[in-house]
Amino acid sequence: MRHLMNPLDFTVEELDELLALADDIEANPGKYAHACDGKKLATCFYEPSTRTRLSFEAAMLNLGGSVLGFASADSSSAAKGESVSDTIRVISCYADICAIRHPKEGAALVASQKSSIPVINAGDGGHQHPTQTLTDLLTIHSLKGRLDHIKVGFCGDLKFGRTVHSLINALIRYPGVEFVLISPEELRVPSYIRTDVLEANDIPFVEMVKLEDAIGDLDILYMTRVQRERFFNEEDYVRMKDFYILDKAKMAMAKDDMLVLHPLPRVNEISVEVDDDPRAVYFKQAQYGVYVRMALILTLLGIQV
Ligand code: CP
């Protein structure tokens, strides 16, 4: 039995196969419409979500399976003090596969250790968000045509942004990838990413504060939200929440084929005036999330079509 805790749980070859399967699902959805007949997906979300939970549910429904679960800790027995370990042992009796999101780092790993069904980490605190990474990789691969030899700018909250940490970890395995890390001083990437991931693997990167200084050179701009829920103090959040706003004037400085990705939800960091720019692909990215989660469910359940 296999779980997904971290994007690095898959080798590059396995990721290539997963992305190829997602491509085939996009091209031939009918072929997969009954692949999971009789199977059940549990979505156990202890933290709010729109895309991840609903795209998992759409993915399983598209495959002919069924879904069950809870959308907040308050609507589960966690509110009465039940542990994640006990909950997953029970869910294992009801479902064939489980996607779990939890505010605590490592909660999905704990669940996987007690589970008798495959567990997918759907986000654990500020740590990892591997299925968002699969979505991002599929989006870049489909729209850019490659994952190697690209300059990727990450902009916003690089300290708490788990999607950023996961995607950096995944992209360093491809040759010729360079990073521009754009953030306020207080929200720079954690030192374990800078030292243990980037420096330890000799990956070229620079850290900058101003988006205007970086945007002209980028192949991919990955915008992120400043996450209110990760701040200890409202004053700091208010000071930093509008630090970056991508608007038409900044897009005019970018290459014609630069792509703008964002895991969403967005707050103010991308002006709505950018939405109609063909380089703004964040809503397409949300659609790719369904195809890649369909591919992941099939892979973890060992179903071949
Ligand atoms: N991108 C993402 O994780 O969105 P949700 O929080 O809505 O699931």
PDB file of all heavy atoms in Angstrom, residues 10 15 23 62-63 69 75 94 124-125 132 171 202 205 209 211 223 231 249 283 293-294 302:
ATOM      1  N   PHE A  10       7.265  10.326  -5.030  1.00  0.00           N
ATOM      2  CA  PHE A  10       7.327   9.785  -6.386  1.00  0.00           C
ATOM      3  C   PHE A  10       8.693  10.103  -6.995  1.00  0.00           C
ATOM      4  O   PHE A  10       9.183  11.232  -6.861  1.00  0.00           O
ATOM      5  CB  PHE A  10       6.257  10.423  -7.291  1.00  0.00           C
ATOM      6  CG  PHE A  10       4.856   9.954  -7.026  1.00  0.00           C
ATOM      7  CD1 PHE A  10       3.860  10.854  -6.683  1.00  0.00           C
ATOM      8  CD2 PHE A  10       4.522   8.606  -7.138  1.00  0.00           C
ATOM      9  CE1 PHE A  10       2.555  10.419  -6.455  1.00  0.00           C
ATOM     10  CE2 PHE A  10       3.218   8.171  -6.915  1.00  0.00           C
ATOM     11  CZ  PHE A  10       2.247   9.071  -6.565  1.00  0.00           C
ATOM     12  N   LEU A  15       6.624  10.367 -11.580  1.00  0.00           N
ATOM     13  CA  LEU A  15       5.893  11.618 -11.819  1.00  0.00           C
ATOM     14  C   LEU A  15       5.584  11.783 -13.300  1.00  0.00           C
ATOM     15  O   LEU A  15       4.475  12.199 -13.661  1.00  0.00           O
ATOM     16  CB  LEU A  15       6.739  12.794 -11.359  1.00  0.00           C
ATOM     17  CG  LEU A  15       6.474  13.320  -9.964  1.00  0.00           C
ATOM     18  CD1 LEU A  15       7.408  14.471  -9.641  1.00  0.00           C
ATOM     19  CD2 LEU A  15       5.038  13.782  -9.823  1.00  0.00           C
ATOM     20  N   ASP A  23      -2.658  13.645 -18.552  1.00  0.00           N
ATOM     21  CA  ASP A  23      -2.865  14.137 -19.929  1.00  0.00           C
ATOM     22  C   ASP A  23      -3.886  13.268 -20.657  1.00  0.00           C
ATOM     23  O   ASP A  23      -4.751  13.765 -21.383  1.00  0.00           O
ATOM     24  CB  ASP A  23      -1.547  14.061 -20.729  1.00  0.00           C
ATOM     25  CG  ASP A  23      -0.596  15.196 -20.381  1.00  0.00           C
ATOM     26  OD1 ASP A  23      -1.042  16.188 -19.786  1.00  0.00           O
ATOM     27  OD2 ASP A  23       0.609  15.063 -20.694  1.00  0.00           O
ATOM     28  N   ASN A  62     -15.807  11.721 -11.129  1.00  0.00           N
ATOM     29  CA  ASN A  62     -15.501  11.551 -12.562  1.00  0.00           C
ATOM     30  C   ASN A  62     -15.048  10.128 -12.877  1.00  0.00           C
ATOM     31  O   ASN A  62     -15.181   9.665 -14.011  1.00  0.00           O
ATOM     32  CB  ASN A  62     -14.386  12.491 -13.006  1.00  0.00           C
ATOM     33  CG  ASN A  62     -14.810  13.945 -13.049  1.00  0.00           C
ATOM     34  OD1 ASN A  62     -15.996  14.250 -12.983  1.00  0.00           O
ATOM     35  ND2 ASN A  62     -13.843  14.846 -13.146  1.00  0.00           N
ATOM     36  N   LEU A  63     -14.494   9.468 -11.863  1.00  0.00           N
ATOM     37  CA  LEU A  63     -14.004   8.094 -12.069  1.00  0.00           C
ATOM     38  C   LEU A  63     -15.078   7.052 -11.765  1.00  0.00           C
ATOM     39  O   LEU A  63     -14.803   5.849 -11.775  1.00  0.00           O
ATOM     40  CB  LEU A  63     -12.780   7.846 -11.160  1.00  0.00           C
ATOM     41  CG  LEU A  63     -11.511   8.639 -11.516  1.00  0.00           C
ATOM     42  CD1 LEU A  63     -10.492   8.573 -10.380  1.00  0.00           C
ATOM     43  CD2 LEU A  63     -10.889   8.116 -12.807  1.00  0.00           C
ATOM     44  N   GLY A  69     -17.196  12.241   3.847  1.00  0.00           N
ATOM     45  CA  GLY A  69     -16.174  12.952   4.602  1.00  0.00           C
ATOM     46  C   GLY A  69     -16.727  14.112   5.385  1.00  0.00           C
ATOM     47  O   GLY A  69     -17.938  14.286   5.502  1.00  0.00           O
ATOM     48  N   SER A  75     -17.180  19.752  12.548  1.00  0.00           N
ATOM     49  CA  SER A  75     -18.278  18.862  12.166  1.00  0.00           C
ATOM     50  C   SER A  75     -17.857  17.400  12.248  1.00  0.00           C
ATOM     51  O   SER A  75     -18.548  16.520  11.737  1.00  0.00           O
ATOM     52  CB  SER A  75     -18.765  19.205  10.752  1.00  0.00           C
ATOM     53  OG  SER A  75     -17.716  19.012   9.832  1.00  0.00           O
ATOM     54  N   TYR A  94     -14.523   2.531   6.331  1.00  0.00           N
ATOM     55  CA  TYR A  94     -15.629   3.071   5.536  1.00  0.00           C
ATOM     56  C   TYR A  94     -15.254   3.377   4.083  1.00  0.00           C
ATOM     57  O   TYR A  94     -16.135   3.539   3.247  1.00  0.00           O
ATOM     58  CB  TYR A  94     -16.126   4.405   6.140  1.00  0.00           C
ATOM     59  CG  TYR A  94     -16.581   4.364   7.568  1.00  0.00           C
ATOM     60  CD1 TYR A  94     -16.534   5.515   8.357  1.00  0.00           C
ATOM     61  CD2 TYR A  94     -17.080   3.204   8.159  1.00  0.00           C
ATOM     62  CE1 TYR A  94     -16.960   5.513   9.667  1.00  0.00           C
ATOM     63  CE2 TYR A  94     -17.500   3.190   9.474  1.00  0.00           C
ATOM     64  CZ  TYR A  94     -17.431   4.342  10.233  1.00  0.00           C
ATOM     65  OH  TYR A  94     -17.846   4.344  11.534  1.00  0.00           O
ATOM     66  N   ASP A 124      -0.600  19.944   5.200  1.00  0.00           N
ATOM     67  CA  ASP A 124      -0.398  19.844   6.659  1.00  0.00           C
ATOM     68  C   ASP A 124       0.325  21.092   7.155  1.00  0.00           C
ATOM     69  O   ASP A 124       1.519  21.258   6.974  1.00  0.00           O
ATOM     70  CB  ASP A 124       0.331  18.544   7.057  1.00  0.00           C
ATOM     71  CG  ASP A 124       1.724  18.381   6.457  1.00  0.00           C
ATOM     72  OD1 ASP A 124       1.971  18.919   5.354  1.00  0.00           O
ATOM     73  OD2 ASP A 124       2.563  17.741   7.102  1.00  0.00           O
ATOM     74  N   GLY A 125      -0.452  21.971   7.765  1.00  0.00           N
ATOM     75  CA  GLY A 125       0.078  23.220   8.307  1.00  0.00           C
ATOM     76  C   GLY A 125       0.884  23.976   7.251  1.00  0.00           C
ATOM     77  O   GLY A 125       0.491  24.063   6.099  1.00  0.00           O
ATOM     78  N   GLN A 132      -1.134  19.909  -4.550  1.00  0.00           N
ATOM     79  CA  GLN A 132      -1.034  21.202  -5.230  1.00  0.00           C
ATOM     80  C   GLN A 132       0.215  21.197  -6.111  1.00  0.00           C
ATOM     81  O   GLN A 132       0.202  21.692  -7.238  1.00  0.00           O
ATOM     82  CB  GLN A 132      -0.963  22.346  -4.204  1.00  0.00           C
ATOM     83  CG  GLN A 132      -0.895  23.722  -4.847  1.00  0.00           C
ATOM     84  CD  GLN A 132      -2.145  24.062  -5.647  1.00  0.00           C
ATOM     85  OE1 GLN A 132      -3.253  23.921  -5.146  1.00  0.00           O
ATOM     86  NE2 GLN A 132      -1.989  24.520  -6.904  1.00  0.00           N
ATOM     87  N   LEU A 171      10.780  20.786  -8.120  1.00  0.00           N
ATOM     88  CA  LEU A 171      11.411  21.313  -9.342  1.00  0.00           C
ATOM     89  C   LEU A 171      12.928  21.169  -9.356  1.00  0.00           C
ATOM     90  O   LEU A 171      13.530  21.125 -10.431  1.00  0.00           O
ATOM     91  CB  LEU A 171      11.034  22.791  -9.531  1.00  0.00           C
ATOM     92  CG  LEU A 171       9.637  23.049 -10.091  1.00  0.00           C
ATOM     93  CD1 LEU A 171       9.313  24.543 -10.055  1.00  0.00           C
ATOM     94  CD2 LEU A 171       9.490  22.526 -11.518  1.00  0.00           C
ATOM     95  N   ASP A 202      23.125  22.852  -4.936  1.00  0.00           N
ATOM     96  CA  ASP A 202      23.724  23.777  -5.913  1.00  0.00           C
ATOM     97  C   ASP A 202      22.712  24.323  -6.913  1.00  0.00           C
ATOM     98  O   ASP A 202      22.991  24.406  -8.122  1.00  0.00           O
ATOM     99  CB  ASP A 202      24.833  23.073  -6.718  1.00  0.00           C
ATOM    100  CG  ASP A 202      26.151  23.151  -5.985  1.00  0.00           C
ATOM    101  OD1 ASP A 202      26.318  24.112  -5.218  1.00  0.00           O
ATOM    102  OD2 ASP A 202      26.977  22.242  -6.189  1.00  0.00           O
ATOM    103  N   PHE A 205      19.781  30.426  -7.209  1.00  0.00           N
ATOM    104  CA  PHE A 205      18.620  31.202  -6.739  1.00  0.00           C
ATOM    105  C   PHE A 205      19.086  32.569  -6.261  1.00  0.00           C
ATOM    106  O   PHE A 205      20.244  32.737  -5.871  1.00  0.00           O
ATOM    107  CB  PHE A 205      17.869  30.478  -5.613  1.00  0.00           C
ATOM    108  CG  PHE A 205      18.561  30.482  -4.280  1.00  0.00           C
ATOM    109  CD1 PHE A 205      18.219  31.422  -3.305  1.00  0.00           C
ATOM    110  CD2 PHE A 205      19.557  29.567  -3.990  1.00  0.00           C
ATOM    111  CE1 PHE A 205      18.862  31.434  -2.069  1.00  0.00           C
ATOM    112  CE2 PHE A 205      20.211  29.580  -2.760  1.00  0.00           C
ATOM    113  CZ  PHE A 205      19.862  30.508  -1.796  1.00  0.00           C
ATOM    114  N   VAL A 209      13.369  41.683  -3.009  1.00  0.00           N
ATOM    115  CA  VAL A 209      12.193  42.240  -2.331  1.00  0.00           C
ATOM    116  C   VAL A 209      11.193  42.795  -3.356  1.00  0.00           C
ATOM    117  O   VAL A 209       9.990  42.641  -3.208  1.00  0.00           O
ATOM    118  CB  VAL A 209      12.607  43.323  -1.311  1.00  0.00           C
ATOM    119  CG1 VAL A 209      11.379  43.991  -0.694  1.00  0.00           C
ATOM    120  CG2 VAL A 209      13.480  42.707  -0.215  1.00  0.00           C
ATOM    121  N   LEU A 211       9.162  42.994  -6.782  1.00  0.00           N
ATOM    122  CA  LEU A 211       8.707  42.187  -7.926  1.00  0.00           C
ATOM    123  C   LEU A 211       9.122  42.843  -9.256  1.00  0.00           C
ATOM    124  O   LEU A 211       9.515  42.157 -10.208  1.00  0.00           O
ATOM    125  CB  LEU A 211       7.175  42.029  -7.842  1.00  0.00           C
ATOM    126  CG  LEU A 211       6.475  41.314  -8.982  1.00  0.00           C
ATOM    127  CD1 LEU A 211       7.033  39.913  -9.210  1.00  0.00           C
ATOM    128  CD2 LEU A 211       4.966  41.245  -8.730  1.00  0.00           C
ATOM    129  N   MET A 223       2.551  33.356  -7.845  1.00  0.00           N
ATOM    130  CA  MET A 223       2.117  34.305  -6.816  1.00  0.00           C
ATOM    131  C   MET A 223       1.497  33.538  -5.645  1.00  0.00           C
ATOM    132  O   MET A 223       0.874  32.478  -5.840  1.00  0.00           O
ATOM    133  CB  MET A 223       1.056  35.258  -7.388  1.00  0.00           C
ATOM    134  CG  MET A 223       1.547  36.210  -8.461  1.00  0.00           C
ATOM    135  SD  MET A 223       2.783  37.394  -7.885  1.00  0.00           S
ATOM    136  CE  MET A 223       1.842  38.391  -6.698  1.00  0.00           C
ATOM    137  N   PHE A 231      -0.399  33.794  10.810  1.00  0.00           N
ATOM    138  CA  PHE A 231       0.242  34.867  11.584  1.00  0.00           C
ATOM    139  C   PHE A 231      -0.184  34.797  13.042  1.00  0.00           C
ATOM    140  O   PHE A 231      -1.332  34.483  13.355  1.00  0.00           O
ATOM    141  CB  PHE A 231      -0.166  36.237  11.026  1.00  0.00           C
ATOM    142  CG  PHE A 231       0.703  36.671   9.883  1.00  0.00           C
ATOM    143  CD1 PHE A 231       0.472  36.170   8.606  1.00  0.00           C
ATOM    144  CD2 PHE A 231       1.752  37.542  10.071  1.00  0.00           C
ATOM    145  CE1 PHE A 231       1.267  36.552   7.547  1.00  0.00           C
ATOM    146  CE2 PHE A 231       2.559  37.924   9.015  1.00  0.00           C
ATOM    147  CZ  PHE A 231       2.315  37.432   7.751  1.00  0.00           C
ATOM    148  N   ALA A 249       0.239  46.974 -15.127  1.00  0.00           N
ATOM    149  CA  ALA A 249       1.505  47.702 -15.310  1.00  0.00           C
ATOM    150  C   ALA A 249       2.684  46.758 -15.085  1.00  0.00           C
ATOM    151  O   ALA A 249       3.667  46.783 -15.847  1.00  0.00           O
ATOM    152  CB  ALA A 249       1.559  48.889 -14.353  1.00  0.00           C
ATOM    153  N   PHE A 283      -6.769  29.941 -13.206  1.00  0.00           N
ATOM    154  CA  PHE A 283      -8.036  29.196 -13.197  1.00  0.00           C
ATOM    155  C   PHE A 283      -7.908  27.894 -13.999  1.00  0.00           C
ATOM    156  O   PHE A 283      -8.505  26.882 -13.630  1.00  0.00           O
ATOM    157  CB  PHE A 283      -9.192  30.083 -13.689  1.00  0.00           C
ATOM    158  CG  PHE A 283      -9.507  31.191 -12.712  1.00  0.00           C
ATOM    159  CD1 PHE A 283      -9.301  32.522 -13.041  1.00  0.00           C
ATOM    160  CD2 PHE A 283      -9.968  30.908 -11.434  1.00  0.00           C
ATOM    161  CE1 PHE A 283      -9.556  33.539 -12.120  1.00  0.00           C
ATOM    162  CE2 PHE A 283     -10.234  31.911 -10.500  1.00  0.00           C
ATOM    163  CZ  PHE A 283     -10.026  33.232 -10.848  1.00  0.00           C
ATOM    164  N   ARG A 293      -5.515  14.753  -9.838  1.00  0.00           N
ATOM    165  CA  ARG A 293      -6.021  13.994  -8.678  1.00  0.00           C
ATOM    166  C   ARG A 293      -6.714  12.711  -9.154  1.00  0.00           C
ATOM    167  O   ARG A 293      -6.660  11.696  -8.456  1.00  0.00           O
ATOM    168  CB  ARG A 293      -6.924  14.873  -7.808  1.00  0.00           C
ATOM    169  CG  ARG A 293      -6.114  15.940  -7.066  1.00  0.00           C
ATOM    170  CD  ARG A 293      -6.926  16.824  -6.142  1.00  0.00           C
ATOM    171  NE  ARG A 293      -6.046  17.692  -5.378  1.00  0.00           N
ATOM    172  CZ  ARG A 293      -5.779  18.983  -5.671  1.00  0.00           C
ATOM    173  NH1 ARG A 293      -6.358  19.563  -6.704  1.00  0.00           N
ATOM    174  NH2 ARG A 293      -4.933  19.686  -4.936  1.00  0.00           N
ATOM    175  N   MET A 294      -7.331  12.753 -10.330  1.00  0.00           N
ATOM    176  CA  MET A 294      -7.876  11.499 -10.904  1.00  0.00           C
ATOM    177  C   MET A 294      -6.730  10.518 -11.141  1.00  0.00           C
ATOM    178  O   MET A 294      -6.817   9.332 -10.784  1.00  0.00           O
ATOM    179  CB  MET A 294      -8.617  11.786 -12.219  1.00  0.00           C
ATOM    180  CG  MET A 294      -9.928  12.543 -12.040  1.00  0.00           C
ATOM    181  SD  MET A 294     -10.654  13.121 -13.596  1.00  0.00           S
ATOM    182  CE  MET A 294     -11.280  11.601 -14.292  1.00  0.00           C
ATOM    183  N   GLY A 302      -3.985   1.426  -7.529  1.00  0.00           N
ATOM    184  CA  GLY A 302      -3.440   0.376  -8.399  1.00  0.00           C
ATOM    185  C   GLY A 302      -4.396  -0.042  -9.491  1.00  0.00           C
ATOM    186  O   GLY A 302      -4.395  -1.197  -9.927  1.00  0.00           O
TER     187      GLY A 302
END
